[in-house]
Amino acid sequence: MRWLFTLVVAALLGLVQAVSTSGDRLLVVLEELGEKSRFSKFWGDLEDRGYKITFESPKNEKLSLFKHGARAYDHLILLPPKSKGLGPALAPNILLDFLNAQGNILLTLSSTSPTPSAISSLLLELDIQLPADRTSIVVDHFNYDTLSAAEKHDVVLLPRPTSFRSGVKNFFAGANGDLIAFPRGVGHLLGNASPLLTPVLRAPSTAYAYNPKDEPESSEDPFAAGSQLSLISVMQARNSARFTILGSAEMLENTWFDTSVKQSTGVDGAGKNAKKTKAANREFAKQISQWTFMELGVLKVGRVQHNLVQSGNESKGNVTLSGPVKNPTMYRIKNDVIFTIELSEYMKTHWSPFTPSGEDELQLEFSMLSPFHRLPLKPLPSSSANSTSYSAEFRLPDQHGIFNFRVNYKRPFLTTVDEKHTVTVRHFAHDEWPRSWAISGAWPWIAGVWTTVVAWISFVGIWLYCEPSEEDRKGKAKKVQ
């Protein structure tokens, strides 16, 4: 019976295990711990997915993101503080160290709480710019909620992100007609220099950010306006650590998880016949947290293999009785080789076969200093239930040296795949060159050699056949005497 009890316990532990691929330890930094009840539904959704949540105040002197040089937590949520700082435990350099240690951060902002200078400094390190006054608010006089912001227009209603650029997976889509309420939020600008930043939710073309404390005339020169103003953005570091900036912490509150909203009239009366509908904040917050905490868009490399194509003229040393050697360290120029890589994608609770989105494709580079070949990797029909095998077959270049098989796949919202395998490509050995009769260019020379041989043999035969008779030799001898 003991083994049965152990089996039941193991099964129960498997059920409550967090679905994140990077761990279940979640730290929530909230200055007033009594306010955590405002986000109880959000915490409940996280706990249902297996996270172990720890609530701490930034004023706690014992707060630390690291213990004995390692991460004390796997994920971090920063809610807007009411004070001017976050304390020494959450300094910008420590938060960057947390990202470098592959920790994930969900940062929330609010126009009702001035952004601490530590957060502004951290965002500048990531090429994200906030308004200098730290109290700006995003408003839209054409796309607002008529039920809760009929006068101030500071609850912006936005549709779900429907499309990014071609070949980019959309993990934040929803039903057609869903509206996301963005109440009293802070906008930000993304720099053009970083390829790691991706906007998830941009402001409508009629929205702008301004400081409500300024005079009305100053709103004619806002911080940013239209689609240049990002409301929710994400960054995936080179080590695949994830950082999300959410411009409105209020959209995670219980109120906005269950509330109904109604679209304003909009430009040219587009929302004239709009009806009350439930805000999609809860499902959208779930998708954002799933991506940030690595429950979505996580790629894993399985089997990687390269070998000679099975044929009758493989080079010596790369063939056994059972077939070509797997992953040899040396090839010969002009060898026909095949490269295979196995990829899986984590989708919320399980690993599934990975398929590039839309017109995107996986590519293989065979390079020295620069690529000699860049080939598309095609899926194989022999893929398993939780992975897809991709393959490419090609002929090695007529160039010896040190080469790399490399799959370098970097896309927004997906973890980086950078697989590199180094091999040596040598010249033909002395007994591997093709015989002369197999080279058409040598046929005239071969014909000349055999013509010379036949001519010489013919000459010798004719000369021997034409030898003088015995009487002729005696006659010549008498004349000489």
Side-chain angles (χ1 to χ4, degrees):
M1 294 297 294
R2 182 177 297 176
W3 65 270
L4 182 60
F5 176 75
T6 305
L7 184 62
V8 171
V9 172
L12 292 175
L13 289 176
L15 290 175
V16 301
Q17 185 179 5
V19 294
S20 172
T21 57
S22 59
D24 58 1
R25 300 171 300 174
L26 172 61
L27 173 64
V28 178
V29 178
L30 180 63
E31 186 168 355
E32 298 294 337
L33 298 181
E35 295 183 357
K36 68 180 183 181
S37 59
R38 293 163 49 194
F39 306 89
S40 59
K41 293 184 178 180
F42 183 55
W43 311 139
D45 290 343
L46 292 172
E47 289 174 342
D48 291 342
R49 293 180 355 231
Y51 289 99
K52 300 175 183 177
I53 305 178
T54 303
F55 296 92
E56 292 287 353
S57 171
K59 300 177 182 179
N60 188 354
E61 296 180 355
K62 296 182 179 180
L63 175 62
S64 177
L65 300 181
F66 296 91
K67 185 176 181 180
H68 306 305
R71 285 197 330 257
Y73 303 96
D74 303 307
H75 317 285
L76 173 64
I77 296 180
L78 294 172
L79 292 175
K82 295 182 179 179
S83 58
K84 295 183 179 181
L86 291 174
L90 298 174
N93 60 320
I94 295 179
L95 294 175
L96 288 175
D97 290 340
F98 187 74
L99 285 173
N100 291 332
Q102 296 185 325
N104 306 306
I105 299 178
L106 175 59
L107 171 66
T108 63
L109 304 175
S110 176
S111 62
T112 59
S113 299
T115 305
S117 57
I119 295 300
S120 299
S121 300
L122 171 67
L123 295 179
L124 285 175
E125 291 285 342
L126 305 179
D127 206 12
I128 301 174
Q129 182 182 355
L130 293 178
D133 49 46
R134 301 183 185 178
T135 57
S136 287
I137 188 172
V138 177
V139 297
D140 191 335
H141 304 300
F142 295 91
N143 299 283
Y144 62 90
D145 179 25
T146 59
L147 301 180
S148 60
E151 295 181 0
K152 295 185 177 180
H153 304 172
D154 55 358
V155 179
V156 183
L157 297 183
L158 306 107
R160 289 288 196 99
T162 54
S163 63
F164 299 96
R165 70 170 185 260
S166 177
V168 176
K169 285 194 173 184
N170 186 2
F171 295 106
F172 314 103
N176 189 21
D178 278 357
L179 290 176
I180 300 171
F182 190 82
R184 290 168 281 278
V186 179
H188 54 272
L189 296 178
L190 301 181
N192 297 323
S194 177
L196 307 176
L197 293 170
T198 306
V200 174
L201 206 60
R202 290 185 181 272
S205 59
T206 52
Y208 63 95
Y210 82 106
N211 187 353
K213 297 180 180 180
D214 293 340
E215 296 295 330
E217 293 78 6
S218 62
S219 61
E220 296 179 0
D221 187 20
F223 166 71
S227 59
Q228 68 177 180
L229 191 64
S230 297
L231 306 180
I232 301 176
S233 300
V234 298
M235 186 208 73
Q236 184 166 259
R238 301 188 189 279
N239 63 354
S240 293
R242 291 176 172 179
F243 179 90
T244 299
I245 174 172
L246 191 70
S248 174
E250 194 174 337
M251 69 181 296
L252 303 178
E253 294 182 2
N254 300 341
T255 303
W256 294 100
F257 274 17
D258 297 325
T259 191
S260 294
V261 295
K262 185 178 179 181
Q263 179 75 43
S264 59
T265 303
V267 179
D268 298 329
K272 183 178 181 179
N273 299 322
K275 298 180 181 180
K276 289 176 59 176
T277 181
K278 185 177 179 180
N281 285 31
R282 186 166 192 169
E283 183 61 27
F284 183 70
K286 182 179 179 181
Q287 292 172 333
I288 284 289
S289 61
Q290 284 176 333
W291 184 87
T292 305
F293 301 150
M294 304 195 78
E295 299 175 44
L296 294 171
V298 180
L299 302 184
K300 180 178 70 173
V301 177
R303 178 176 60 93
V304 179
Q305 180 179 307
H306 55 85
N307 55 265
L308 291 171
V309 176
Q310 189 89 23
S311 62
N313 60 343
E314 291 95 342
S315 61
K316 297 181 180 180
N318 283 3
V319 181
T320 64
L321 294 177
S322 60
V325 176
K326 309 299 182 186
N327 300 330
T329 58
M330 182 176 292
Y331 288 100
R332 191 204 68 203
I333 60 174
K334 295 185 177 182
N335 270 150
D336 292 323
V337 300
I338 183 169
F339 178 90
T340 306
I341 185 171
E342 191 176 74
L343 286 176
S344 303
E345 180 180 4
Y346 193 76
M347 296 295 292
K348 298 181 181 178
T349 59
H350 62 281
W351 292 100
S352 60
F354 169 68
T355 303
S357 176
E359 300 177 356
D360 192 21
E361 65 179 8
L362 205 62
Q363 290 185 334
L364 167 69
E365 290 183 357
F366 189 72
S367 59
M368 186 185 292
L369 295 177
S370 58
F372 277 66
H373 289 289
R374 184 177 284 122
L375 307 166
L377 287 162
K378 301 299 183 181
L380 297 177
S382 59
S383 301
S384 64
N386 55 6
S387 64
T388 306
S389 295
Y390 292 87
S391 179
E393 184 178 328
F394 64 100
R395 175 165 291 185
L396 298 182
D398 189 6
Q399 172 68 47
H400 71 284
I402 306 299
F403 285 82
N404 295 309
F405 291 100
R406 188 179 185 186
V407 177
N408 187 16
Y409 188 75
K410 297 177 181 178
R411 298 294 185 274
F413 309 125
L414 294 174
T415 54
T416 300
V417 173
D418 192 359
E419 282 290 319
K420 185 169 68 172
H421 293 253
T422 303
V423 295
T424 301
V425 178
R426 60 174 177 82
H427 274 303
F428 282 93
H430 69 281
D431 58 347
E432 291 179 331
W433 293 97
R435 301 296 90 185
S436 58
W437 54 82
I439 304 175
S440 59
W443 291 351
W445 304 96
I446 296 173
V449 170
W450 283 107
T451 300
T452 303
V453 172
V454 171
W456 171 250
I457 293 175
S458 300
F459 168 76
V460 171
I462 294 173
W463 188 81
L464 292 177
Y465 179 78
C466 297
E467 181 182 4
S469 63
E470 187 67 24
E471 295 179 355
D472 292 339
R473 287 199 299 269
K474 288 182 179 180
K476 289 182 180 180
K478 289 180 179 179
K479 290 179 180 180
V480 169
Q481 292 177 358

